[in-house]
Amino acid sequence: MSSTDPIAADLLLERLAAIVGPSGLVTGDELRARPASWTRPAEPCTALALVRPRDTAETRAVMAACAAAGRSVIPRGGATGLVDGTLATPEDITLSTERMTGIEPVDALGMTVIAGAGATIAAVQHAAAECNLFFPLDLGARGSATVGGTISTNAGGLRVLRYGMMRDMVLGLEAVLADGSVVSSMRPLIKNNTGLDLKQLFVGTEGTLGLVTRAVLRLRPEPAGHVTALIACPGPDDGARVLRAAQSAFQGRVSSFEGLWPDFYRLMTAPGRTSPPLPHGSPFYALVEVECVPAESDRFLALLDDLMGAGTVLDAAVAASEEQRRAMWRIRDQVEHLNADGLHRAFDVSLPLAAMDSYVRGALERMSAIPGCRAVVYGHIGDNNLHWNTTRLDANANAAIDAAIYEPLAALSGSVSAEHGIGLEKRAKLALSRSAEEIATMRLVKRALDPQNRLNPGKIF
Ligand SMILES: Cc1cc2nc3c(=O)[nH]c(=O)nc-3n(C[C@H](O)[C@H](O)[C@H](O)COP(=O)(O)OP(=O)(O)OC[C@H]3O[C@@H](n4cnc5c(N)ncnc54)[C@H](O)[C@@H]3O)c2cc1C
């Protein structure tokens, strides 16, 4: 019986319903009523079925049943990933973690928490805050993005500079492999040098090696406060000097350093949007946030004064209230304005800070020669990460935009994906950032863990 045989499909669905209960299986119109993903809101989910196990044991049974039926399994968390990593064919089984949302009581002394793969980042942040602790991962999609999804994409977000990426917040995890076996490494330990660190196999590998069901997450003390400022500089290189000076002055407590190039700043502060704290017309802006106690804000103001005296900073606005701080962050965060303005294509690249100014100038110059192309650039520049948003044009013009953005990166030791991953969308670009030997090694690991290529096939490579 072939895997696409309707009888085989019916038998599998029966089997899955027996494992997860009838309410755990979503098929037909109910499934098609769900959007394919955040980036494809108008397209329906296309899988044969979406199955919603409640725990590791059910996940294990689902995986074993799908393996026996020869079906591929596509892991799905909040579906906020930006590279089509959750897209399924009509033959696949989508495995959603939406019923694995449990969060165990926080270990306040050990500063850890165990969360189910389907718990949202906002829920983990909330659970930590209830115990006067802090879960540092933060991103615009916090209300929907899940623990499992952010582990699988090794999400970065807004505080990487100080706390690292999701990888740095995962102490342990549990994952189900393609054949249904369970790898459980749930130790709440910062140090554990006992051979291969198996949990890392599942961080950033986009659900191609295993399905994460639970994780032990590291929490931190709640910051005592912040000072937040928008600054204008003569250029990105001056922005980099400000970052360096602030890191020295505050012993590495700069938690965010977001670069905003002038066209991005103008678009986000257009009439009817957030009002601009600084006038338009400067060559470069940055949103800076430093963790410090209120008594240290004067030191921050003195630093800005010094930098203005040296010409490194042209102008600055410091948030005087939480409302003003939030308004400054809206300028960076409300990326829906980009879609509203027709800038539908999103890029996420990284490169050394020192090369950013000339790279951006070069790419903008190349794109200015493409008729109809508009582009804005911004990003977590303190983490080497730039985001571009451009217009979507015809295939030739889109390819020319891709070339302008991606081609220079290899020579600069850059990357075609800083934090969003590869998914389906960037498969063709992988070789621009990884050598043939690196890709061959990745394939070797994939074959070892999933020889039948059943887990999220076609994603990454
Ligand atoms: C508004 C917005 C802002 C964003 N900002 C950032 C940002 O600042 N930084 C950043 O890094 N990213 C950002 N992202 C993208 C980011 O990748 C996701 O928000 C997040 O990491 C994905 O979580 P999710 O639960 O939605 O995963 P999904 O989209 O459901 O899945 C993502 C990938 O992980 C796999 N997967 C999901 N769950 C599991 C699991 N339990 N086990 C194994 N594999 C699994 C999927 O198959 C897929 O390949 C943003 C997205 C949006 C929409």
Side-chain angles (χ1 to χ4, degrees):
M1 211 177 276
S2 89
S3 66
T4 53
D5 188 303
I7 299 173
D10 285 350
L11 280 176
L12 175 63
L13 295 186
E14 257 176 48
R15 183 81 220 286
L16 294 177
I19 296 166
V20 296
S23 63
L25 197 64
V26 183
T27 55
D29 289 345
E30 197 188 341
L31 176 57
R32 280 187 290 276
R34 292 178 171 226
S37 69
W38 192 86
T39 54
R40 296 173 182 268
E43 294 173 33
C45 268
T46 50
L48 175 65
L50 179 143
V51 60
R52 311 187 303 156
R54 280 167 287 215
D55 55 23
T56 305
E58 286 188 3
T59 305
R60 171 185 203 169
V62 166
M63 296 288 265
C66 291
R71 293 275 170 178
S72 296
V73 175
I74 315 300
R76 181 179 173 103
T80 64
L82 300 175
V83 291
D84 286 341
T86 51
L87 286 198
T89 74
E91 311 301 328
D92 298 336
I93 300 296
T94 288
L95 195 155
S96 167
T97 55
E98 67 199 54
R99 294 207 294 182
M100 293 194 264
T101 54
I103 299 178
E104 293 184 17
V106 167
D107 174 353
L109 199 59
M111 296 204 291
T112 62
V113 65
I114 294 180
T120 64
I121 294 309
V124 176
Q125 289 173 340
H126 182 71
E130 297 261 280
C131 300
N132 298 322
L133 289 169
F134 182 59
F135 182 59
L137 185 83
D138 198 27
L139 67 180
R142 64 185 74 77
S144 309
T146 62
V147 167
T150 50
I151 288 176
S152 305
T153 59
N154 186 24
L158 304 171
R159 300 195 187 102
V160 173
L161 205 50
R162 177 139 169 75
Y163 296 101
M165 299 181 76
M166 189 58 169
R167 186 185 303 285
D168 301 295
M169 297 167 209
V170 179
L171 295 178
L173 58 71
E174 193 161 83
V176 180
L177 305 186
D179 64 358
S181 52
V182 177
V183 179
S184 191
S185 300
M186 290 288 287
R187 292 174 191 83
L189 304 176
I190 293 170
K191 290 184 169 178
N192 179 15
N193 281 349
T194 48
L196 204 68
D197 189 358
L198 291 175
K199 67 177 181 285
Q200 301 298 354
L201 286 172
F202 308 102
V203 182
T205 48
E206 305 183 39
T208 58
L209 300 183
L211 203 136
V212 177
T213 52
R214 297 194 298 153
V216 189
L217 302 173
R218 183 178 185 184
L219 305 177
R220 302 300 181 113
E222 220 163 14
H226 331 82
V227 58
T228 307
L230 184 77
I231 59 169
C233 298
D237 290 345
D238 297 285
R241 282 181 203 109
V242 176
L243 171 59
R244 179 76 185 80
Q247 287 288 44
S248 294
F250 289 88
Q251 301 87 28
R253 283 181 285 140
V254 179
S255 52
S256 302
F257 198 89
E258 301 291 313
L260 320 172
W261 270 256
D263 286 350
F264 177 82
Y265 182 64
R266 199 171 301 112
L267 187 154
M268 299 301 268
T269 55
R273 296 178 180 169
T274 306
S275 49
L278 295 175
H280 297 140
S282 290
F284 181 77
Y285 298 84
L287 179 59
V288 192
E289 190 156 281
V290 178
E291 282 181 8
C292 59
V293 293
E296 287 176 300
S297 353
D298 283 352
R299 209 144 60 76
F300 184 74
L301 296 180
L303 176 71
L304 284 182
D305 267 352
D306 286 352
L307 291 164
M308 284 172 92
T312 313
V313 171
L314 299 172
D315 203 352
V318 179
S321 64
E322 182 57 24
E323 178 41 38
Q324 284 187 8
R325 172 180 177 244
R326 289 211 183 119
M328 282 183 184
W329 272 107
R330 279 199 294 277
I331 297 172
R332 164 63 181 82
D333 265 355
Q334 287 196 320
V335 288
E336 55 272 23
H337 295 323
L338 302 175
N339 278 331
D341 283 19
L343 297 167
H344 296 296
R345 297 190 75 215
F347 298 81
D348 160 49
V349 302
S350 59
L351 67 156
L353 194 47
M356 268 183 199
D357 189 18
S358 59
Y359 163 76
V360 167
R361 284 172 194 275
L364 285 174
E365 197 181 319
R366 278 175 76 168
M367 284 189 270
S368 69
I370 303 169
C373 175
R374 286 185 297 122
V376 294
V377 60
Y378 62 103
H380 319 288
I381 68 162
D383 322 330
N384 311 119
N385 185 184
L386 285 181
H387 294 309
W388 291 92
N389 273 70
T390 75
T391 32
R392 191 181 298 287
L393 302 170
D394 62 38
N396 283 342
N398 287 343
I401 294 172
D402 286 1
I405 290 175
Y406 288 133
E407 268 177 17
L409 293 172
L412 298 171
S413 301
S415 165
V416 297
S417 182
E419 58 179 8
H420 295 162
I422 296 293
L424 279 182
E425 202 208 80
K426 290 191 184 166
R427 278 189 318 175
K429 306 290 183 301
L430 183 63
L432 291 173
S433 291
R434 295 299 202 128
S435 67
E437 291 77 11
E438 284 177 299
I439 295 171
T441 308
M442 289 187 209
R443 286 186 185 281
L444 210 59
V445 176
K446 170 73 174 167
R447 273 199 300 277
L449 289 184
D450 180 14
Q452 307 295 324
N453 196 21
R454 295 281 181 223
L455 248 179
N456 222 0
K459 310 295 162 42
I460 304 182
F461 35 59

